Amino acid sequence: MARMPWDMSGKVVVITGGNSGIGLGFARGIAKAGGDVVIWGRRADKNEAAAEEIRAYGVRVLPQSVDVSDETQVIAAMAEAVEKMGRVDGVIANAGVMKNSGTFTDMTSEDYHALLAINQHGAFYAAREGARHMRARWDAGDESGGSIIFCASLSAVTGSVGMQHYNSAKGAMASLARGIAVDMGRFGIRANTVCPGYTVSETVIDGGPDSVLGKQVRERDPMQRFGTADDFEGIGIYFMSDMSRYHTGDIVYIDGGWMANAGKINIATARR
């Protein structure tokens, strides 16, 4: 029986920040498609809890305690992942933090660089180390290549009050993905960016229809709801599997139509 293009059996994907939220959603999707998962996070207890959940799908899972802002840790962890799992076919650079500094003129250099160290530099380290392994396989005759996803945000293409460091980091992810796509395509390596809309996580809370953010999302998002981690399972499978073998250098919005609506009041909702 021919293998289906979304069948990820035998593939290994490293997910930074994979122990909760959207990262864990990516992990669940990949596991459901038969792929093995490497979970990176700073907290060993959260990593192991996430790993236990993913193992229930019958796949191999390797939890690793990694601070992606530390280049040395990233290099060592990727080497260990390759050694223990046999290979790495995909990297999802998802780890990140969010902090509002009030206004741009209130933002300190420490605030700016601390956020970039995780959200931007950490993504670069993880993607580079994964690409190095994928290219080495290609050079050795394995033409399976690999796939890299940067999990950015709508903030990559929009502005935010007091979040210029976050905007910068997420925008850099999209630019980095395009650069990798152009440079590494000859080695079978693809790179794309996924931009989530308002998605429930540890940093984004759905306070209900009466909360300020809840009211805004329900009025302006055509689907009239927040996203959930489960909404990212499909796009993770797509980009990490052979289904996307000719898709690279792109930005995909998973936002319930927020950008298509350009943040306007939803007329259908307003008439109710």
Side-chain angles (χ1 to χ4, degrees):
M1 184 176 180
R3 172 173 169 164
M4 295 296 99
W6 56 83
D7 180 2
M8 294 195 61
S9 301
K11 291 185 181 293
V12 179
V13 178
V14 173
I15 306 172
T16 76
N19 59 20
S20 65
I22 293 173
L24 186 53
F26 282 131
R28 278 194 294 263
I30 290 160
K32 288 177 182 179
D36 298 324
V37 178
V38 179
I39 292 175
W40 284 9
R42 287 183 289 188
R43 287 180 49 182
D45 57 335
K46 286 186 66 176
N47 293 346
E48 186 53 44
E52 276 302 300
E53 177 183 341
I54 300 305
R55 289 188 186 110
Y57 295 103
V59 300
R60 296 184 301 154
V61 185
L62 174 65
Q64 295 178 294
S65 296
V66 184
D67 178 352
V68 295
S69 69
D70 186 326
E71 182 178 13
T72 301
Q73 286 190 37
V74 171
I75 292 172
M78 189 66 73
E80 181 184 33
V82 171
E83 179 183 359
K84 291 187 174 180
M85 303 297 277
R87 60 191 291 129
V88 167
D89 300 276
V91 174
I92 301 179
N94 168 77
V97 295
M98 184 185 297
K99 181 181 179 181
N100 193 302
S101 296
T103 67
F104 179 56
T105 49
D106 293 330
M107 187 176 294
T108 66
S109 296
E110 290 76 14
D111 287 341
Y112 187 85
H113 291 292
L115 187 140
L116 262 62
I118 298 171
N119 292 22
Q120 180 178 336
H121 302 158
F124 160 69
Y125 299 146
R128 184 194 63 191
E129 291 310 301
R132 281 175 169 172
H133 166 67
M134 296 169 195
R135 178 177 174 178
R137 282 207 329 263
W138 178 278
D139 290 342
D142 179 350
E143 298 184 359
S144 57
S147 180
I148 298 168
I149 293 178
F150 292 94
C151 188
S153 164
L154 299 186
S155 295
V157 293
T158 63
S160 308
V161 174
M163 299 274 283
Q164 291 78 19
H165 46 4
Y166 191 76
N167 295 139
S168 298
K170 295 303 186 179
M173 282 182 166
S175 295
L176 180 57
R178 288 191 292 269
I180 293 170
V182 171
D183 190 16
M184 295 286 105
R186 54 194 160 143
F187 306 113
I189 300 170
R190 312 184 308 282
N192 293 280
T193 304
V194 172
C195 291
Y198 286 103
T199 304
V200 177
S201 67
E202 292 180 351
T203 54
V204 177
I205 306 299
D206 179 358
D210 296 327
S211 68
V212 173
L213 182 57
K215 185 173 185 293
Q216 183 184 56
V217 168
R218 288 171 176 82
E219 285 182 344
R220 301 184 180 188
D221 191 298
M223 299 197 76
Q224 301 173 28
R225 69 171 177 86
F226 285 76
T228 67
D230 293 346
D231 291 323
F232 293 84
E233 293 182 8
I235 196 68
I237 295 169
Y238 172 71
F239 274 130
M240 289 293 110
S241 71
D242 293 339
M243 292 184 75
S244 60
R245 63 185 179 273
Y246 197 58
H247 193 167
T248 192
D250 200 5
I251 299 177
V252 177
Y253 302 114
I254 307 295
D255 65 353
W258 180 276
M259 291 298 290
N261 195 42
K264 298 175 182 176
I265 298 296
N266 189 313
I267 295 175
T269 302
R271 285 176 175 169
R272 291 181 181 177

